[in-house]
Amino acid sequence: MAVGEVTAPMGGKVIDIKVKPGDTVNEGDEVVIIEAMKMELPIVANESGTVKEVKCNVGDAVEADAVLLVLE
Amino acid sequence: MRPYFQNMAPIGKPLTEKQKEANKENARQIKEVEKEIEAAIEEVKNAGLPLEVLKKRGQMSVWERIDYLVDPGTWCPLHTLYNPRSNEEGTTGVVDGLAKINGKWAVVIGFDNKVLAGAWIAGQAENQLRVTDIAKRLRVPLVWLVNCSGVKLTEQQEVYPDRRGNGTTFFRHAELEKLGIPILAGIYGTNPAGGGYQAISPTLLIAHKDANMAVGGGGIVSGMSPKGSFDEEGAEQIIEATRHFKQVPPGSVPIHYNETGFFKEVYETETGVLDALKKYMDMMPAYDPAFFRVDEPKEPKYPGEDLNYIVAFNQKRSYNFDEVLARIFDNSEHMEFRPGYGPEVYTGLAKIDGFLLGFIGNRQGFLGKDYPEYAPYPGIGGKLYRQGLIKMNEFVTLCGRDRVPIVWFQDTTGIDVGDLAEKAELLGLGQSLIYSIEQTDVPMMCVVLRKGTAAAHYIMGGPTANNHNAFTLGTPTTEIYVMHGETAAVATFARRLVKEKEAGRPLQPIIDKMNKLAQEYYEKSRPLYCARRGFVDEIVSFPNLRKYIAAFAGCVYQNPKSICPHNHMMIPRIIKG
């Protein structure tokens, strides 16, 4: 995982994106929700920053390690 | 051992305003359930006669008696909504809980004298047996407020007979006494027959001046009808006999204080009886809490109210279990046992009110790559895998060795399934945990934080661990079922769907049945249902959980039956390495 990238820890379906480009996020904030194994897993920002790019859409099936969004 | 127990590792972080804002709806949903529970509790408190009727008779209600008896702020009610046989009274007719009396913990139970003058009613025996079991497991005195009119005669078959009927309590009282656990009783009112044994079976009786107790009541003015049935002539005879029946109930103070001496003391006022109980509580065996404390009591660093924003109301949503613990533990600090192994389970030592307890609970969310190690699929918190099961077995066994009481937190969807899971011995490891609990013999309590599901609800110290689990608490997010309702609907109707499809028949009737079953599962797993049926012993709001755990800690360290010297403990050393 490159600096600034928020990735999917496991494969699943994106069911909610809680940020958009330009939003400020703090470390620990929920940014994306993925559904996997019948559970909803909040993906959190592992650092503070501004959302540069959202690289997924609601409904996308993503693989493990897929980049979901980029922070700067 | 001071270096081990003071200044443990910190756990948790403060919630940010942004996190609270994002989970505002979550907190609102939890409060909605709390309101529903509070309304049900209000109904139980209003069961039977209006309070004003008791007042006119110059009597205190059981709630007022308990309020006067226990130390302010210590009352932890249990079984408030319990009504396992759905009786028409809407209550089991007894009120119970844990409380301190003059600084010492006790299990307190009293008859609700508004409900049929404290009669034995359906479901009450189960309530009483749970209470005697708690006193036995926690080894604290049982304090009774007896005011029992005996069997509700129109439903005798529901209360009088059976292996676990109301009479079983008298054997449980004898068992407690055999174990050296005293039962103190204050008695009020008329206590005939069953009420008489409720009064005589405790260790010590303190009577109100108007109390009486007897083998049988004075109200039986005639025997069986000589004709074998009743008719108008018989009814007239009964009316005549009843009008002339002025006898004082048997077993009053002149008999049982002056003659038999069964009443150790008699008081003019109701509060006099309660003051006497307090006096005798002062004589009960209890260590000074400082003897067992490993540190000064401290509040958690983060408020309990945060839990309403942390524990996800949406049962599919994961959350950070460590943040829950951070709002339970003294000073939000702990010693985690084997943190890198079995990541789906938390095991560790922490302090509550300065007392050392072992904690076990389900972590949630993604468990990291290559876990479980025996399968190609990803592990997810709430499920139990091989390493987590081994870790719990080790920790429970070591808690037994170190005499550390255990608090379980359940939020589990069950044990991993499939051939790979079988090959990984999960079935055997699950039963091994039951064996470890049974062999360990330390008091335990359980909190069903959210889901209590499948065999995991049994093996993680749940209520089925009868000899060890003193009580189980539910929360506003509790759900208890063998499996999720939708899973059950598929398991039940999948083959039927195939059959109907192949026969060319419409699927809708089966689909309707599936939806009905899923809905029934939902309704019969909710907190209120769990409390009424006794799947949990009380529903407790999240901020109140720590109070109950502190009551548990205070009870188990008040007069433990065995002791491990702190400097002989192994778990802290194993953790430190």
Side-chain angles (χ1 to χ4, degrees), chain A residues 8-11 15-16 18 24-30 33 35-42 64-65, chain B residues 13 16 18-19 23 314-319 364-366 369 377-381 385 413 450-451 487:
Chain A
M10 64 190 295
I15 61 166
D16 195 8
K18 292 178 168 282
T24 305
V25 296
N26 293 316
E27 183 186 343
D29 284 354
E30 289 180 6
I33 310 289
E35 188 181 70
M37 309 284 282
K38 296 183 190 170
M39 291 294 288
E40 294 177 9
L41 307 169
D65 299 326
Chain B
K13 287 181 196 163
T16 63
K18 199 171 177 183
Q19 286 168 325
N23 291 294
N314 173 356
Q315 296 279 341
K316 289 183 174 177
R317 181 68 63 90
S318 65
Y319 58 94
Q364 306 297 319
F366 180 58
K369 290 187 168 46
Y377 47 80
I380 196 119
Y385 304 97
T413 50
R450 222 168 48 154
K451 289 185 287 289
T487 314

Side-chain angles (χ1 to χ4, degrees), chain B residues 36 105 143-144 228 312 319 333 351 375 391 403 495 519 535 564 566:
Chain B
E36 187 190 9
W105 285 103
V143 177
W144 261 107
Y319 58 94
E333 56 183 53
K351 295 163 289 185
K391 183 164 80 171
R403 313 312 298 155
R495 287 187 185 282
Q519 185 61 27
F535 302 164
C564 176
H566 291 160

